Amino acid sequence: MHYHRRKVCRICGSKNLKPILDLGKTPLANAFLTKKQVAKRDATYPLQLVFCPDCSLVQLAHIVDPEVLFKGYRYMTSGSPVLIEHFRREAAEVAERYRVGKDDLVVEIGSNDGVLLERIKDRTHVLGIDPAETAAVLAKKRGVDTLVDFFGNRIAKKVAAKYGQAKLIFANNVIAHIDDLDDVFEGVKTLLRDDGAFVAEVHWVYNLIGDGGFDQIYHEHLSYFSLHAYSRLAKKFGFVVADVEIVPIHGESLRVYLQKSGKPSPRVKQILAKEKKAGIDSIHAFRRFAPKVEKNRRDLLKLLNTLKKKNATIAGYGASAKGNTLLNYMGITKKHLDFITDTLPSKQGTFTPGAHIPVVAPEMLFSKRPEYLLLLAWNYAPAILHKEKALRAQGTKFIIPVPTVRVV
Ligand code: TYD
């Protein structure tokens, strides 16, 4: 089967998990297919969200085996100019804030191709830890020493014994991928100095159910954090939530600063209060989520079907993983979209999992000139709308699919 159902909450062990959204059975969102693979049936896995009323963590009900999920994981941070800029700025700001010096150690969990650590490698001793071999090769080329492994308490002890404890530990967009968070937080406790900080960015569930898109739900993302849930996890391991910022990544993410001592900043209290007001610390806020997603599906399908009846030409823009959640849940197929363009050469020439829509190079936009483009990489909407000024001036319209359908 290559997956299992989780019966207890990943943070607090509660058995009281409540279903809040069912997106059906879908293929893995990053499993782009070769021409040969398209002829076979896609492997699909249940995609359901549950809520834990005891610690308020939103999580997937089913866990796909990591060997299946991350086999040949090809994601590279350096593929996204927006992320490069964001992580570099983060590295410099946080190193400054904690006065990191030449003799300190800075570790990154899930360091991928080393973009973040490269920024501060001349200022301090940096070490990346990531199981993705191909990304680690690129990181090493950037001069970022990288350990190819999954982070946990075993590795933490090894690193601490060899280099001493770390002043800073970063973890961006990786905590949500990990099933055994106890081992990771135990490891952070082992590796972090008493005057250090564990700085992690996680996609914010407040944004997911609000102004963001439900399509960020896919099998790689096991947990969807509120500050309430993250604080509960931190407390379990004796950490203080010293500070938090909202950063404009994947819609909105939380950058949470954990320390072994200190006091929460006023921002921590403000964001907790904001979540409470929205009912995110109880199932209340999530009861409205499934009907909202269902309405989003009806509205988008109605628009695409109406356009097709008028013989309009429509293509997709950006073959993102989230786009595959959207296409497969909504039942958008080759009947709606002729092709999807993507700037990454590794995706060009493949077909999307489930919907089997061909992924092509952006040049196709100029030879085919579709009348409408479904923006599947909506997280970069401002940058893309700006970049495609010429197409838009010639009449091509963009359809922004989530959280409500808009044509611009
Ligand atoms: P990404 O942001 O990584 O989202 P996900 O995590 O859901 O996969 O993916 C965005 C995709 O869009 C990526 O394959 C690159 C592509 N893209 C374009 O084709 N053109 C663009 O201008 C941008 C910004 C991205």
Side-chain angles (χ1 to χ4, degrees), residues 226-240:
S226 59
L227 187 58
H228 274 85
Y230 200 85
S231 303
R232 175 73 185 258
L233 176 62
K235 205 169 157 197
K236 185 172 165 186
F237 292 90
F239 291 111
V240 179

Side-chain angles (χ1 to χ4, degrees), residues 228-254:
H228 274 85
Y230 200 85
S231 303
R232 175 73 185 258
L233 176 62
K235 205 169 157 197
K236 185 172 165 186
F237 292 90
F239 291 111
V240 179
V241 182
D243 200 7
V244 61
E245 289 169 68
I246 297 168
V247 294
I249 295 297
H250 308 305
E252 282 177 325
S253 297
L254 296 175

Side-chain angles (χ1 to χ4, degrees), residues 36-47:
K36 249 188 180 164
Q37 288 169 320
V38 171
K40 296 190 200 143
R41 252 181 66 184
D42 295 78
T44 57
Y45 307 87
L47 192 54

Side-chain angles (χ1 to χ4, degrees), residues 75 218 317-322 341-344 347 377 379-380 384 387:
Y75 181 85
Y218 47 87
Y317 192 105
S320 60
K322 63 180 83 60
T341 62
D342 199 283
T343 44
L344 289 183
K347 290 186 185 173
N379 45 327
Y380 302 116
I384 291 173
K387 187 167 102 180

